[in-house]
Structure formats: structure tokens, C-alpha cells
Amino acid sequence: MAEKRLTERSGGGGEEYHKREEEQTVPENFANSWTNLLIFRVIDFLLCWLEEYAKDFAENFNSFSNPMLRWIDSLKKRHPEFKAKYELAVTRVGGLQPAKEPQESHKETFQGKLDFDSMNITDFVQQMSILYSGYLSQLTGSEILSRDWTKTSTSPNIAALMKNCILVSNWISVLILTSNDKRSAQRRKKAQKIVCEAIQQANYHLAMGVMAGLESGAVHRLFQKVKPSKKYREALDILSSDRSYATLRRHSQDKTPCIPYIGMYFVDWTLVQEGNPDLVEEKINVVKLTLLGNVITKLTECAPVSGPEIPGFWEKLLEKHVELENEELYEISFYRCPRKGNPVPPRPDHIYNKIP
């Protein structure tokens, strides 16, 4: 009798236990998603480690990178869905080779009249997006790891993007400052519309360059009493550097295609690189490498911008541009709008004579 009660209790308890276990079972797709995420993070860590330290062992690079790639290859065979990730891995490790020179995509001359006043704003933003997309598509991890971002020898594509942003800023400032009052106001309004259109097309790098020209001290002081449009004020809020570009990050999140403002990611890179030790308790700082890998991934995985390219578009716009130093821009600005209580300075003909 006791034996029967024990069996019944055991059987009931067993059923209850299996039922409880069944209820607590993790769904297969949930488990798979976490497995995938874990493998992705491991691959990212390995690649970041290779890119960070391979140059210290340049002579023996293949001896330790090849086993890693073979391991990644075995993951690809076991998990076919990782094929794209694997191909990216090979590309990124291959990025330790000398960086690719930016391709000269604008060799032909644009036929026809083209200047700032007559150009179509939408076409201009689209053409600049195609130009920047070409640089980003050739960007490699080695360029970012070199840290010599202004040198074309080590970081040709990054240097080209940074140089272009500065050139756009100077171009806008010169166009506004060297024209008469009426045309200055018209050009300023058009430049503001370019900023708004660039944000609309998710070209934040161009938007930042044009905005820098508009908000430069030499230009801004001429229009202190002129209220900007509501749309442009909203654009300024988006491009603000407050809280490490927090608003810009939210606005650009999940935008495809997208031309990011490259300076924002270099702020991230510097903060991670300088604010975290390489070693923690004499072990490699995995967290730091993961954060650095995230920055590289965001820059090297930007979706390309497609569309019809107009050869020589940007070069044609710059045909009559003369790059002026900041001091020269202020000299023109003070001539057009003297400081309060100061006499009107002489016309800076030595600067105006440079302008065709």
C-alpha cells in the first residue's frame, strides 16, 4: 500500500515536474538569436584584436591571423547564415594592408554653366553624397587605426573627407563675404536650405561643412540681427555637438543610405582610446577592443549612395573659388561691418583682387 502511494506520488510529481520544465523551456529562436549575437561579438573582438596588434607582429602576421580566419571559416561552414559576416571579416583583416587610394571618380569636365547661384540644391546634395560615398566605401580599418587622419599617405580616404568638409566651409564663407549685401543675404538663405536638404538626404557630413561656413565668426557677425528660418534652427539643433552629438546620433540612427559626420566618430575613437587602458590586471582590455571595433564597424559598413553621377560637378563649382585664411575672412567682415565705435577700415583690395 505504501509502495502504491509512493508510486502514485512519484508519478504525479514527475508529471508535474515535466510540465513545469516544459513551461520554462527557452524558445528555440530566442536561444538561436543569443547564440548568433554571441558569435558575432566574438568575431568582432577577434578582428578588432587582430587590427589593433597585428602591426606589432608584422613579420609573423600570417602565422597568427590565418588560424583565426580558419576558425571563422569553420563557423561559416557550421552556420551558413554567417557568410556575409565572414566576408566582412576577411575584408577587415585584409584592411591591414596599405590603404586604398581614393579613386578619381571626377576626371571628366562638366559641360555647361554651373555656379552656386544657379545650381539645384537637391542635385548638389546628391552629387556630394555620391562623392563621399566613394571615399567611405574604400575606408579600411587600418586607416582608422593609423591615427594619422590628416595624412594622405596613411589615411587617404579619411583625409579626403576631412579636407572636403573644411573646403566646403571655406567655400560658403567666401561666397557670402565677397558679394554685395543683397547677394550675401540670398546666398546665406540658399546655404541654409542646403543644410536642411543635406539632413533630409542623410548627408550629415555635408550638412556639417556648410553649417560651419554659415556659423563661422566672420559670417555670423554680419547677420546677428537676422532671424534664421525655423527649419534651419531645427537643423542647428540636430547638428549640435552638445552631449557628444546626442541629437545627431538619434537622428541618424537606422538611416540608410547615410553619410555620417566623420568627426563624430573620431570623437568616439579618441575618448575610447585615451580613456581606457590597453591592459586590465595584465590582461587585454576586451571592453576597450569591443568599443573600438564598434567604431570601425560603423564607419566601414555605411551603405553606399546610388544614383546618376555627374562627372566634374564639384570641380566645376570650385573653378573660381579662392581659399582664404580665417584672418582674411575677418578682414573682409570688419570692412563690411566695422566694430562698434571703430572707424571703417580701408577696403582690403589685396584680398578682393584674389577673387576672380
Side-chain angles (χ1 to χ4, degrees), residues 107-142:
K107 292 182 179 179
E108 299 176 30
T109 305
F110 178 83
Q111 300 298 323
K113 182 182 177 182
L114 181 65
D115 55 35
F116 180 84
D117 299 309
S118 62
M119 73 178 187
N120 180 276
I121 292 175
T122 303
D123 290 343
F124 170 68
V125 175
Q126 185 181 33
Q127 292 304 308
M128 295 303 288
S129 296
I130 294 171
L131 176 65
Y132 294 163
S133 181
Y135 295 135
L136 287 171
S137 65
Q138 299 175 80
L139 189 60
T140 62
S142 61

Side-chain angles (χ1 to χ4, degrees), residues 131-201:
L131 176 65
Y132 294 163
S133 181
Y135 295 135
L136 287 171
S137 65
Q138 299 175 80
L139 189 60
T140 62
S142 61
E143 287 195 49
I144 303 172
L145 289 168
S146 71
R147 304 182 196 177
D148 296 326
W149 300 322
T150 58
K151 295 181 180 178
T152 55
S153 58
T154 54
S155 306
N157 297 289
I158 292 175
L161 284 165
M162 294 177 70
K163 181 180 178 182
N164 191 277
C165 190
I166 296 170
L167 182 58
V168 167
S169 173
N170 188 266
W171 178 57
I172 293 296
S173 295
V174 170
L175 282 170
I176 295 173
L177 287 170
T178 58
S179 53
N180 58 44
D181 291 346
K182 183 179 179 180
R183 181 166 285 187
S184 288
Q186 293 172 343
R187 288 179 169 178
R188 175 174 172 268
K189 286 182 179 179
K190 186 165 186 174
Q192 289 180 351
K193 290 179 181 178
I194 291 174
V195 173
C196 298
E197 179 63 26
I199 292 176
Q200 182 70 25
Q201 294 191 31

Side-chain angles (χ1 to χ4, degrees), residues 170 173 177 216-218 323-333:
N170 188 266
S173 295
L177 287 170
S216 64
E323 197 166 353
L324 299 179
E325 298 293 332
N326 200 43
E327 293 77 11
E328 294 175 312
L329 294 174
Y330 267 106
E331 201 170 339
I332 295 174
S333 180

Side-chain angles (χ1 to χ4, degrees), residues 19 44 95 124 143 168 230 251 267 272 295 325:
K19 185 178 179 182
D44 279 337
F124 170 68
E143 287 195 49
V168 167
K230 181 182 177 182
H251 195 272
V267 170
V272 174
V295 177
E325 298 293 332

